[in-house]
Amino acid sequence: MGRRSACFYTIFKRHKRSKKLEQVPLMEVPTPSMINGFQSQKPNDLSSEKSSNTSNIIDNHNFSNGLHSWRADHCDAFLSVEETTAKSCSHHVVVTNRTQNWQGLEQDITHKISLGSTYTVCARVGVSGTHLHCDADIIASLKLEYQHSGPKYLNISRTNVCKEKWENLEGTFMLSDKPDRVVFYLEGPAPGVNILIESVLVLCHGKISPCGYADEGNIILNPEFEDGVNNWSGRGCKIVVHESMGNGTILPKFGKFFASTSERTQSWNGIQQDISEKVQRKWAYEVTAFVRIFGNNITSSTVRATLWVQTPDSREHYVGIANALATDKDWVLLKGKFLLNGLQSKVVIYLEGPPSGTDILVDGLMVKHAKKTPPSPPPFIECPDYGVNIITNSNLSDGTNGWFPLGNCVLSVVTGSPHILPPAARDTLGPHEPLSGRCVHTTNRTQTWMGPAQMITDKVKLFVTYQISAWVRLGPGATGPQNVNVALGVDSQWVNGGQVEINDANQWHEVCGSFRIEKQAAKVMVYIQGPSPGISFKVAGLQIFAVDRQARFRHLKRQTDKIRKQDVTLKFSNPDSSGMHHTMVIVKQIQNSFPVGSCISRSNIDNEDFVAFLVKIFNWAVFGNELKWYWTESQKGNLNYQDADDLLKLCDDNNISARGHCIFWDVDNTIQDWVKNLNKTDLAAAVQNRLTSLLNRYKGKFKHYDVNNEMLHGSFYPDRLGPDTRANMFKTANQLDPSATLFVNDYVEDGCDTRSTPEKYMSQILDLQQQGAPVGGIGIQGHIDSPVGPIVCSALDKLGILGLPIWFTELDVSSVNEHIRADDLEVMFHEAYAHPAVEGIMIWGFWELFMSRENSHLVNAEGDINEAGNRLLELKKEWLSHSHGHVDDEGEFMFRGFPGTYEVIVVKDSKKTVKKFVVERGDLPLVVPINP
């Protein structure tokens, strides 16, 4: 469902030595300081001081009529007539028993707001309470409700208040579109802190032009530097405005001027602007700028747009917005989006990135409320020809017709190849005619990319998922492992269609994979490449065919019913069993107990819409970064568990189980510098301290731990501490928290990474077990593109042989078209749920702008659920069992259902009785006694 948007034009600047907010004079709007006597008058007297051309839209503004027209939102409020330290009025309201920052006092002003009118807020506020240690921010906000979408929130302004002091809260706002309901409220301090309010005025000044900003809503002031460096500053460096540079070779992209940095000594030095009072929480903003670099003999370097954010409780964090490879030759577009989930006391946008001594040049920086991207329509796919091989002359009955050598290698046709399809193709296609036994032999290779090729431009359809399968074999003389890759050249882009690592030149090996093209290409070529120069290879039975996902889904649904559902008998224990005969019974499953979870981060939980979706859909969670060592101890001895504590509390409060990800990460570029610089003895001690600190603190809190992440892709710890290090990590973790299941975690599922095949993963697990490591589960990450069910299932089958529970731990899929993304997601969920070895699915996030990959979100940035998100909701409904009928002669009612929580409605003699029961997972039929 679409959400209407409202535009607000409010500009503030903060004085360097004062917390007071003053409006920048870009438009003729009266500011609070223009209201005669406001600074010196008591709020009770303000009504007599209103200008003749203003009107107060707040009822009972000074609480002379108690709390009439006001409402405390999820907290309590009362009128206090006690003397205060400030003694500025005889009574005020105390808002107390607050458990959330957003709780406060509110008033509905829906019917008093006019479009295009400017409103000035003038409030007199204070704070109190035993939980208040120093000062707190109070915020004036609007809640904007729309009939067909969720609410939006606008922070008007804020002020910092010290205990036992009254402060003025002043700000201005204007609405350019009318919500169905508008609520004004005061919020902000930490839970436990009381808000004190003497009076509130919201003054209307009539309509003005809704053109508060230049550049159609750009919140950046002086974006083209026509006013010099006004509103800009250097972040650790100097900034200069130019008409040209480089003896006139560098000119502005727009207008007359551009800016550059100078004297940069750190990569984070750059140009910045404070946008604290201009960004609204839960709004998506688009950032664009044109950038280039200059000097230091650097011809290209990455320029990044970043936010520095400080929260009301003085936490700091950084938000990466966008990056672009800038050059010294021309202006390059830098473009990205950001969204702030919670309340922020300070927000600064800046450019950074190039090495020290290199100047950053910028022109036309813009930050605007992002336009909503319309939902993508379902792609029209005409005659996909599922299962039909698009390779010409694949059986080589016509020699090498249709094939050509890529490079100056030589192709010939020889015999002696397998007559059966490779296993992955057989799994998808089913019974198939035998192969010819002929193969392409490639010789005289002088480059790794040389091999047989075909043009398939006219045969590939957009948004269709294609599976690739072939037999490959190395020629004589190959030494050591060799990669063979089926690749696609899509215009100038290389696409991986699958690869295999071969150590034995005397056998045929299967190479398989998949691909999808989502943008019309002028040229699509498939070719086989990879072995070292001089090594010949053979290719047989190359198949590229469109995959029929719906046929696979039908099979998987039947499989799911077999392995996930149980026979359940409801046994009605009525003294008069004959009286239950033919009684109507309605069984409804309320919740499926199969674990389905999501990745979350600390900033996410400041967004109540995010939390609502999380709690509604998921019963497990995993933290994206907040438990990783580089997060909890970025500097030696400086421990930060607060973010993880906050996330764990949210999980505990909402009955969500949590996975611990991760204790260690074996990939070199994920290790903190201070850890890398330790000698062997100190590193061993640091590893032990990490285990002890983390697992003692959270003993019994996390049901799973990923002990050492991605051990197939890195070996930092065993390289420095010895080959038994990994097993010792598992042993120590088990000793410290025996209740947690200890997992390995890696990506092995798509056939595109020769370092991490299921076979190598199995070998690693068996090796750990032989060393005594208590490996309790197998984590498959699942960052996958264009998934093909049988390929995924094959990996699960191989790993399932070990008898350990398998979890998808970081699942995400990506497509620019949300319908295709939904299809990909459905493939992965169906394959997982239909496989007996899989015991849980964790997706790697769901909210746009907070995903590790673009075009993988299920919920758009401002809260609209897209087609992929709706598909997940449909699957959750599909995995609920319902039944109805009558009690039989034995006082029983039988059905098959998924494990989880149920309610049974018993209708007898026009009376309805509702009971709840739980179906636990098991292999044997279950009898559930019901006492109606």
Side-chain angles (χ1 to χ4, degrees):
M1 187 73 68
R3 178 180 295 175
R4 289 182 286 172
S5 62
C7 297
F8 304 90
Y9 303 89
T10 311
I11 308 176
F12 300 96
K13 66 180 179 182
R14 189 179 294 279
H15 291 286
K16 292 181 180 179
R17 298 185 180 180
S18 170
K19 298 287 186 178
K20 178 182 174 184
L21 293 171
E22 176 186 283
Q23 190 172 13
V24 175
L26 289 185
M27 50 186 176
E28 289 298 318
V29 181
T31 62
S33 58
M34 296 179 186
I35 301 173
N36 294 331
F38 179 81
Q39 302 292 341
S40 58
Q41 295 293 326
K42 298 178 182 180
N44 304 43
D45 300 331
L46 277 173
S47 58
S48 62
E49 300 293 338
K50 289 183 294 184
S51 170
S52 59
N53 66 338
T54 62
S55 59
N56 182 25
I57 66 172
I58 292 293
D59 291 332
N60 189 25
H61 73 277
N62 60 5
F63 307 103
S64 58
N65 196 17
L67 288 171
H68 179 70
S69 299
W70 293 93
R71 174 180 173 272
D73 188 9
H74 292 81
C75 53
D76 297 322
F78 62 88
L79 193 67
S80 172
V81 294
E82 297 178 3
E83 292 291 329
T84 65
T85 302
K87 295 185 179 180
S88 58
C89 67
S90 59
H91 61 262
H92 62 270
V93 167
V94 180
V95 184
T96 188
N97 294 333
R98 300 174 60 255
T99 60
Q100 302 288 338
N101 294 65
W102 51 264
Q103 293 172 350
L105 199 66
E106 66 177 34
Q107 185 172 135
D108 190 323
I109 58 173
T110 305
H111 301 297
K112 303 172 184 178
I113 291 289
S114 299
L115 299 186
S117 292
T118 300
Y119 297 87
T120 299
V121 175
C122 313
R124 188 79 165 164
V125 294
V127 289
S128 69
T130 57
H131 290 73
L132 181 64
H133 302 296
C134 181
D135 56 7
D137 279 358
I138 296 181
I139 304 166
S141 300
L142 293 180
K143 180 179 181 181
L144 312 172
E145 296 182 356
Y146 299 88
Q147 183 176 357
H148 300 295
S149 64
K152 288 183 178 290
Y153 298 84
L154 168 68
N155 302 142
I156 302 169
S157 84
R158 71 179 70 217
T159 190
N160 187 264
V161 186
C162 296
K163 194 172 184 179
E164 299 183 345
K165 284 193 67 177
W166 292 94
E167 295 285 351
N168 297 331
L169 175 61
E170 311 170 357
T172 305
F173 69 90
M174 181 178 69
L175 274 64
S176 62
D177 119 352
K178 185 67 179 292
D180 297 297
R181 185 167 181 258
V182 183
V183 177
F184 172 87
Y185 64 104
L186 298 174
E187 58 168 340
V193 176
N194 301 329
I195 302 175
L196 312 181
I197 311 169
E198 286 187 345
S199 98
V200 181
L201 295 178
V202 177
L203 304 176
C204 176
H205 304 284
K207 295 188 177 182
I208 65 170
S209 169
C211 242
Y213 296 119
D215 302 316
E216 300 178 349
N218 186 14
I219 67 175
I220 294 295
L221 301 178
N222 188 24
E224 296 181 4
F225 307 100
E226 294 181 349
D227 195 16
V229 296
N230 190 32
N231 301 112
W232 296 93
S233 62
R235 190 174 185 84
C237 61
K238 295 181 179 179
I239 58 172
V240 183
V241 171
H242 307 269
E243 293 184 13
S244 67
M245 285 179 65
N247 296 321
T249 60
I250 301 176
L251 299 173
K253 179 70 176 180
F254 302 106
K256 298 179 180 179
F257 306 99
F258 62 92
S260 74
T261 62
S262 64
E263 300 181 23
R264 295 178 66 251
T265 59
Q266 303 289 335
S267 63
W268 53 265
N269 295 155
I271 186 170
Q272 66 180 5
Q273 187 170 132
D274 189 329
I275 56 173
S276 301
E277 303 298 338
K278 305 168 192 173
V279 288
Q280 306 301 325
R281 63 184 290 257
K282 303 200 303 181
W283 278 29
Y285 289 88
E286 183 173 73
V287 177
T288 57
F290 282 90
V291 295
R292 62 191 298 170
I293 58 173
F294 181 80
N296 203 26
N297 294 319
I298 301 294
T299 59
S300 66
S301 181
T302 298
V303 174
R304 298 189 298 270
T306 306
L307 289 183
W308 173 78
V309 178
Q310 186 178 58
T311 60
D313 58 0
S314 297
R315 293 189 191 186
E316 298 180 3
H317 66 275
Y318 296 86
V319 179
I321 302 171
N323 62 77
L325 184 63
T327 73
D328 62 347
K329 303 299 182 187
D330 204 354
W331 294 98
V332 175
L333 178 64
L334 176 69
K335 185 175 182 179
K337 290 183 179 180
F338 72 87
L339 178 144
L340 298 176
N341 287 300
L343 300 174
Q344 314 297 335
S345 59
K346 197 170 185 64
V347 182
V348 174
I349 187 171
Y350 66 99
L351 302 183
E352 59 171 340
S356 61
T358 304
D359 296 342
I360 302 173
L361 281 56
V362 59
D363 193 5
L365 179 63
M366 303 188 77
V367 179
K368 297 182 180 181
H369 184 201
K371 294 181 179 179
K372 284 184 180 259
T373 303
S376 49
F380 175 70
I381 303 171
E382 185 177 6
C383 300
D385 294 328
Y386 295 125
V388 177
N389 190 7
I390 65 174
I391 292 296
T392 299
N393 188 25
S394 64
N395 64 5
L396 303 169
S397 59
D398 192 15
T400 59
N401 183 42
W403 298 85
F404 63 90
L406 191 62
N408 58 5
C409 57
V410 176
L411 306 184
S412 60
V413 176
V414 298
T415 59
S417 61
H419 287 271
I420 61 173
L421 283 178
R426 289 203 308 271
D427 289 343
T428 303
L429 298 173
H432 196 276
E433 63 183 24
L435 300 179
S436 67
R438 293 182 288 269
C439 59
V440 176
H441 188 204
T442 306
T443 57
N444 295 342
R445 300 175 62 253
T446 59
Q447 301 289 336
T448 58
W449 48 264
M450 290 183 179
Q454 273 198 28
M455 300 304 300
I456 57 173
T457 310
D458 298 332
K459 301 175 183 179
V460 177
K461 300 181 186 297
L462 291 183
F463 293 109
V464 172
T465 299
Y466 289 91
Q467 181 173 339
I468 294 176
S469 180
W471 289 114
V472 293
R473 181 175 177 175
L474 296 179
T479 58
Q482 299 288 329
N483 285 353
V484 180
N485 168 228
V486 180
L488 293 107
V490 182
D491 291 336
S492 59
Q493 180 184 7
W494 173 82
V495 176
N496 187 359
Q499 57 186 334
V500 62
E501 182 182 88
I502 300 177
N503 291 282
D504 184 358
N506 297 317
Q507 292 185 8
W508 287 93
H509 299 265
E510 177 186 22
V511 58
C512 66
S514 62
F515 73 94
R516 182 172 55 234
I517 296 175
E518 299 191 347
K519 183 179 180 182
Q520 191 64 55
K523 182 178 71 173
V524 181
M525 175 180 65
V526 61
Y527 60 104
I528 298 88
Q529 61 158 1
S532 300
I535 298 177
S536 63
F537 65 87
K538 300 175 182 178
V539 180
L542 177 61
Q543 306 276 321
I544 299 181
F545 54 90
V547 176
D548 184 358
R549 289 173 157 180
Q550 294 304 316
R552 178 75 178 175
F553 288 164
R554 290 190 290 270
H555 161 73
L556 292 174
K557 288 178 181 179
R558 293 190 296 268
Q559 178 75 0
T560 296
D561 284 350
K562 290 179 182 179
I563 71 166
R564 296 295 176 186
K565 285 186 175 180
Q566 293 175 242
D567 291 323
V568 182
T569 299
L570 302 183
K571 184 73 174 178
F572 292 89
S573 54
N574 191 303
D576 181 12
S577 59
S578 62
M580 294 297 297
H581 183 52
H582 292 313
T583 298
M584 183 67 179
V585 174
I586 303 171
V587 176
K588 295 181 179 180
Q589 187 170 13
I590 302 170
Q591 185 179 41
N592 188 316
S593 60
F594 183 82
V596 177
S598 175
C599 170
I600 59 177
S601 69
R602 175 59 187 84
S603 67
N604 292 148
I605 66 174
D606 292 329
N607 185 334
E608 56 272 24
D609 299 335
F610 179 98
V611 173
F613 190 88
L614 173 76
V615 171
K616 177 181 178 182
I617 304 302
F618 302 103
N619 53 13
W620 279 70
V622 62
F623 309 162
N625 288 303
E626 288 77 0
L627 210 65
K628 291 171 181 169
W629 196 5
Y630 63 63
W631 190 280
T632 62
E633 195 178 3
S634 59
Q635 302 296 323
K636 185 177 181 179
N638 185 15
L639 295 176
N640 168 31
Y641 288 117
Q642 185 60 55
D643 294 331
D645 289 348
D646 292 347
L647 290 170
L648 197 56
K649 182 179 186 304
L650 175 80
C651 293
D652 290 342
D653 290 347
N654 292 281
N655 197 29
I656 294 174
S657 300
R659 300 191 76 251
H661 176 78
C662 51
I663 304 176
F664 300 102
W665 196 347
D666 229 341
V667 177
D668 193 84
N669 63 11
T670 68
I671 310 294
Q672 311 95 297
D673 287 341
W674 72 265
V675 174
K676 289 182 179 179
N677 294 330
L678 296 174
N679 61 40
K680 182 176 180 179
T681 301
D682 292 341
L683 178 60
V687 166
Q688 181 61 46
N689 290 339
R690 162 67 172 169
L691 284 160
T692 303
S693 172
L694 182 73
L695 277 84
N696 281 342
R697 180 183 184 89
Y698 294 116
K699 187 172 184 177
K701 297 291 187 181
F702 291 100
K703 292 191 174 182
H704 298 172
Y705 278 107
D706 295 330
V707 176
N708 192 3
N709 199 36
E710 296 179 359
M711 292 184 288
L712 291 172
H713 292 85
S715 55
F716 175 85
Y717 295 103
D719 287 349
R720 289 158 179 79
L721 299 176
D724 59 346
T725 299
R726 290 168 167 173
N728 290 337
M729 289 174 173
F730 277 84
K731 294 174 186 177
T732 304
N734 180 249
Q735 293 167 0
L736 291 169
D737 189 352
S739 67
T741 302
L742 304 182
F743 275 69
V744 291
N745 191 52
D746 224 307
Y747 46 99
V748 300
E749 60 281 345
D750 62 1
C752 288
D753 187 347
T754 59
R755 293 176 297 174
S756 55
T757 63
E759 292 80 6
K760 290 184 178 181
Y761 206 16
M762 293 170 65
S763 177
Q764 183 181 84
I765 295 167
L766 290 170
D767 183 58
L768 287 168
Q769 290 177 328
Q770 288 171 2
Q771 296 180 65
V775 180
I778 302 172
I780 300 177
Q781 291 183 3
H783 302 291
I784 193 167
D785 292 310
S786 313
V788 172
I791 296 177
V792 174
C793 184
S794 175
L796 294 174
D797 287 343
K798 293 171 183 176
L799 294 171
I801 294 173
L802 297 177
L804 295 172
I806 297 173
W807 281 58
F808 278 100
T809 54
E810 303 180 17
L811 176 63
D812 61 17
V813 294
S814 176
S815 173
V816 296
N817 186 288
E818 61 190 54
H819 294 268
I820 299 299
R821 193 185 317 157
D823 292 343
D824 286 353
L825 190 72
E826 188 171 359
V827 167
M828 296 304 296
F829 267 78
H830 274 309
E831 292 294 339
Y833 199 50
H835 200 283
V838 177
E839 296 190 5
I841 305 171
M842 307 291 296
I843 65 172
W844 204 242
F846 55 85
W847 204 275
E848 185 183 12
L849 303 183
F850 297 93
M851 308 291 293
S852 63
R853 293 203 294 167
E854 289 188 6
N855 301 314
S856 60
H857 56 282
L858 313 184
V859 181
N860 298 337
E862 295 186 356
D864 300 318
I865 301 174
N866 62 31
E867 179 62 26
N870 284 323
R871 191 74 59 87
L872 176 58
L873 298 180
E874 291 170 8
L875 285 172
K876 295 276 288 184
K877 290 180 182 178
E878 181 181 318
W879 294 343
L880 294 176
S881 303
H882 307 300
S883 184
H884 66 275
H886 295 85
V887 177
D888 64 16
D889 295 341
E890 303 297 324
E892 297 177 345
F893 178 77
M894 292 179 286
F895 70 98
R896 278 182 61 78
F898 296 113
T901 304
Y902 288 77
E903 75 174 17
V904 56
I905 303 171
V906 182
V907 182
K908 185 176 185 297
D909 300 330
S910 300
K911 294 175 62 178
K912 183 170 72 173
T913 304
V914 180
K915 298 284 185 178
K916 285 189 176 181
F917 65 94
V918 175
V919 174
E920 300 287 353
R921 183 182 178 186
D923 298 325
L924 299 176
L926 182 68
V927 178
V928 180
I930 301 292
N931 185 15

